[in-house]
Amino acid sequence: MKYASQKVAYAYFVVAMGLFAIQVLGGLLAGWIYVAPNTLSELLPFNIIRMIHTNALIVWLLLGFFGAAYYLVPEESEREIYSVKLAYLQLIILVVGTLGAVASYLVGIHGGREFLEQPLWVKFGILVAAVIFLVNISLTVLAGRRTAITNVLLTGLWLLSLLWIFAFINPSNLSLDKMYWWFIVHLWVEGTWELVMASILAFLMLKLTGVDREVIEKWLYVIVATALFSGILGTGHHFYWIGLPEYWQWVGSIFSTFEVVPFFAMMSFAFIMVWKGRRNHPNKAALLWSLGAATVAFFGAGVWGFLHTLHGVNYYTHGTQVTAAHGHLAFYGAYVALNLAMFTYAMPVLLGRSPYNQVLNMCSFWLMTGGMAFMTFVLTFAGTIQTHMQRVVGDYYMDVQDTLEIFYLMRFGAGVAVVLGALLFLYSQLVPQREIVEPGDEAAAPERGQA
Amino acid sequence: MSEILTKSRARNIFYGGSLFFIVVFVAMTIHSHRYVVEKSTAGMPLTDAVKLGKEVWERHSCINCHTLHGEGAYFAPEVGNVMTRWGVLDDPEGAFEILDAWMKAQPSGTPGRRQMPHFEITEEEMRGLADFLRWADQTDTQNWPPNDAG
């Protein structure tokens, strides 16, 4: 750790990991309700559990981004963070808001726009926290060295915060409500968050591979250009069937096809940098997560997104389990895995020690990634059957759902693997080994089989 | 390649191109906003009852089980065309009665069947909810969903 104020990131990462645990446990419970629908049906209905599952995800990913910014901006700008106190104040506001939101969901107080269910005071809290963050980080960047990584990171964070304004705009016309709602939901995950993702990935590549900064930063600009050129008009793929003009079917289909490009570019970029780089960085687990994030993001967001994005296909698959399959793998690959890569890289540095628990950490990668891949496959099969029976044949929703039981059972199994992987990850990060194992004297060791 | 595409050129392409696409997107959004108000949702007036219905829909977070125009959770049936499915799209009284009866019968308690919670909803709110669902149903959604099953 070069700068003392980077330590702020530690608190952000720990809180983010706590919410990560809540998120996956909530998901597991929701998955179990698909298998045994009477579970908690009167005490804690499905809609509340799903709210906690999705909200916890979004908040912990954002906390991870904020933490990553506080970690990497001092190194990039070559100076301490403008105000450490403001950074902690921001975290406290976000924690109070999150706990307040969860508590009010549990007693039945919530909004009804998907993912934006937070009570109004929590939304304002998020706004205040975002403003504090932007001021704090911008003053740090402006006073220090400017790099492409901080430029892109700040552009992404400023734009995503500005888009939060639409959380307060809820027209009583449902179609308008939906259109502006996508200004947050789509332009976050398929726009501004990609800028944050690409800049964090570029930072990790810079540190882990030792490739020349000029090369990394040039490609960073190319990647984020393809992300916004495709992603902004790609919003059209959400505008097909909600009461908007027909032209969105062509605009959305064409531009969202190009949304595969930035994800393919990030994957290629990561592998080429590792291949070109000569640095043999000791944190192998961080490298695995970085390459894994880029790869799974390409499949989850890129391939599974394209799978149902063309309007002729989407006419039949819209709002089926196909969407759920894509959503899970895309979020896992692009944003969960990337955050975990950053945690894995930064935690040992923040604790002032060499990388620890790497084998456990890498096991958790394969458990989680395997589980998510399996979950995506079974949901895709469920969605394919649902699309055919419900949208083509015309059978009723619940009749179709009853035939999909086996897939939901397998999805629950996949969820168990993901939760075990997540808990293993948290253990590997939060419980560092206390002893350092010294290599022994090889000559004095007994021969194999003689011990 | 490296001489033609320098870092500063890549940066300028990123900023300039993004600005261009933002401008195009905003222009299309303005057109779409007017299209929604004047055409696609103009089939039924946006009355106070419809507005109240939307509030009821939001207060109980129906979207986290159901889908509405295909968006939401995928745990319970599509409701963007539920009034068509029930055959009461043009019958406000019938729509209220069937919705009221359905919701008051929940949760069914049937073992192995997904459960809809019980909601405390006044008669005025229930009428609003029925109007809201009829209002959503008459929106021109480019012929989606493909059939009445939703």
Side-chain angles (χ1 to χ4, degrees):
Chain A
M1 198 165 62
K2 280 187 194 152
Y3 299 89
S5 56
Q6 282 178 292
K7 191 79 185 177
V8 174
Y10 182 76
Y12 277 81
F13 292 162
V14 170
V15 176
M17 284 190 261
L19 282 174
F20 177 37
I22 293 175
Q23 181 232 326
V24 291
L25 290 171
L28 191 68
L29 184 55
W32 178 249
I33 292 174
Y34 267 90
V35 176
N38 303 79
T39 312
L40 294 175
S41 63
E42 302 197 20
L43 203 62
L44 195 60
F46 182 87
N47 62 340
I48 305 290
I49 295 167
R50 183 176 186 269
M51 241 182 269
I52 292 171
H53 177 55
T54 56
N55 281 224
L57 169 72
I58 297 163
V59 176
W60 88 256
L61 293 178
L62 284 171
L63 285 173
F65 290 159
F66 292 141
Y70 283 128
Y71 181 86
L72 70 80
V73 164
E75 275 188 28
E76 289 291 298
S77 302
E78 297 182 330
R79 57 180 298 116
E80 298 285 352
I81 291 166
Y82 173 73
S83 164
V84 172
K85 275 188 191 151
L86 279 180
Y88 282 116
L89 175 67
Q90 179 204 348
L91 181 62
I92 290 168
I93 293 173
L94 287 169
V95 169
V96 170
T98 306
L99 295 178
V102 172
S104 60
Y105 293 171
L106 291 174
V107 295
I109 300 168
H110 44 68
R113 293 170 96 200
E114 199 184 0
F115 313 131
L116 305 180
E117 299 92 349
Q118 306 82 26
L120 195 61
W121 69 270
V122 176
K123 287 198 176 95
F124 274 114
I126 294 172
L127 187 68
V128 171
V131 170
I132 292 174
F133 171 77
L134 291 173
V135 167
N136 204 4
I137 217 80
S138 300
L139 288 176
T140 313
V141 167
L142 288 175
R145 179 179 67 149
R146 303 282 294 275
T147 69
I149 291 176
T150 54
N151 277 350
V152 171
L153 182 68
L154 270 189
T155 309
L157 292 165
W158 267 98
L159 289 176
L160 84 84
S161 302
L162 279 175
L163 289 165
W164 182 246
I165 299 295
F166 289 96
F168 300 93
I169 297 174
N170 181 11
S172 44
N173 182 312
L174 179 71
S175 292
L176 292 181
D177 166 4
K178 284 177 174 291
M179 182 172 81
Y180 292 115
W181 178 80
W182 283 115
F183 276 39
I184 300 181
V185 178
H186 173 93
L187 291 177
W188 271 19
V189 298
E190 293 169 64
T192 52
W193 284 29
E194 280 182 60
L195 268 52
V196 177
M197 176 192 179
S199 58
I200 295 175
L201 190 64
F203 176 79
L204 287 169
M205 287 298 125
L206 195 65
K207 296 289 164 182
L208 294 171
T209 69
V211 168
D212 187 43
R213 177 182 283 276
E214 271 310 290
V215 178
I216 285 187
E217 297 202 322
K218 178 172 81 179
W219 288 107
L220 173 61
Y221 278 126
V222 172
I223 289 168
V224 291
T226 60
L228 289 194
F229 295 1
S230 62
I232 293 172
L233 289 180
T235 316
H237 65 197
H238 302 291
F239 289 173
Y240 298 160
W241 327 115
I242 59 172
L244 299 194
E246 194 185 0
Y247 56 67
W248 286 112
Q249 292 179 19
W250 291 103
V251 175
S253 293
I254 290 165
F255 281 89
S256 64
T257 300
F258 288 118
E259 281 188 43
V260 183
V261 175
F263 287 106
F264 184 75
M266 270 190 267
M267 180 176 67
S268 316
F269 166 78
F271 277 92
I272 291 170
M273 290 304 121
V274 172
W275 174 56
K276 274 188 159 180
R278 283 179 299 271
R279 186 176 294 171
N280 189 14
H281 197 282
N283 198 334
K284 303 294 173 211
L287 192 61
L288 176 65
W289 276 109
S290 304
L291 292 174
T295 307
V296 182
F298 167 67
F299 282 101
V303 177
W304 253 260
F306 178 70
L307 190 72
H308 59 146
T309 201
L310 299 176
H311 69 264
V313 175
N314 193 261
Y315 183 65
Y316 294 99
T317 59
H318 180 52
T320 63
Q321 293 297 326
V322 174
T323 319
H326 157 65
H328 279 88
L329 199 63
F331 259 97
Y332 173 72
Y335 302 122
V336 171
L338 183 86
N339 262 307
L340 300 187
M342 189 67 201
F343 299 170
T344 301
Y345 171 76
M347 286 291 279
V349 187
L350 289 165
L351 292 174
R353 51 178 301 160
S354 53
Y356 52 85
N357 291 339
Q358 293 215 51
V359 175
L360 282 185
N361 188 325
M362 288 195 258
C363 286
S364 82
F365 169 85
W366 290 110
L367 247 180
M368 267 190 267
T369 307
M372 288 310 295
F374 193 80
M375 185 185 297
T376 304
F377 296 146
V378 293
L379 287 180
T380 306
F381 293 135
T384 309
I385 293 171
Q386 185 189 2
T387 300
H388 180 73
M389 291 178 73
Q390 190 182 321
R391 295 289 164 68
V392 180
V393 176
D395 290 338
Y396 282 116
Y397 177 90
M398 280 313 299
D399 298 340
V400 176
Q401 291 296 311
D402 286 342
T403 67
L404 300 176
E405 227 180 306
I406 180 76
F407 296 105
Y408 294 134
L409 196 60
M410 289 194 282
R411 187 266 295 272
F412 178 75
V416 171
V418 173
V419 170
L420 288 177
L423 295 178
L424 191 58
F425 178 86
L426 296 179
Y427 177 81
S428 79
Q429 289 302 294
L430 298 171
V431 189
Q433 298 154 294
R434 281 178 193 85
E435 291 173 33
I436 292 170
V437 181
E438 295 287 346
D441 181 4
E442 204 178 339
E447 288 291 315
R448 260 169 87 123
Q450 292 179 354
Chain B
M1 181 90 184
S2 56
E3 286 129 44
I4 302 166
L5 186 70
T6 58
K7 189 170 100 179
S8 62
R9 281 215 178 113
R11 183 191 60 213
N12 295 343
I13 291 170
F14 166 60
Y15 285 122
S18 300
L19 205 60
F20 169 77
F21 282 108
I22 289 171
V23 170
V24 173
F25 182 69
V26 169
M28 290 176 78
T29 303
I30 293 169
H31 176 264
S32 296
H33 184 119
R34 293 176 52 182
Y35 172 89
V36 167
V37 176
E38 290 162 14
K39 287 211 175 105
S40 66
T41 64
M44 189 175 144
L46 190 60
T47 60
D48 286 344
V50 174
K51 289 177 187 170
L52 174 67
K54 186 166 181 280
E55 279 172 39
V56 175
W57 164 265
E58 288 172 1
R59 192 188 314 147
H60 298 293
S61 195
C62 312
I63 198 88
N64 272 300
C65 287
H66 292 276
T67 51
L68 178 56
H69 298 334
E71 294 169 0
Y74 319 103
F75 186 71
E78 165 69 27
V79 288
N81 70 336
V82 69
M83 292 300 169
T84 302
R85 197 153 63 233
W86 285 344
V88 290
L89 180 58
D90 300 314
D91 173 9
E93 196 57 34
F96 162 72
E97 278 166 16
I98 192 168
L99 180 67
D100 193 51
W102 173 266
M103 288 191 63
K104 285 198 172 132
Q106 307 301 326
S108 70
T110 315
R113 189 146 183 101
R114 293 182 195 172
Q115 298 296 309
M116 180 164 164
H118 170 77
F119 296 107
E120 291 294 337
I121 294 178
T122 65
E123 190 190 322
E124 189 195 3
E125 288 173 344
M126 192 68 83
R127 285 185 187 277
L129 189 57
D131 278 355
F132 169 66
L133 291 173
R134 287 196 307 116
W135 187 92
D137 202 333
Q138 58 80 40
T139 301
D140 176 6
T141 52
Q142 308 290 337
N143 293 319
W144 193 90
N147 55 49
D148 289 354

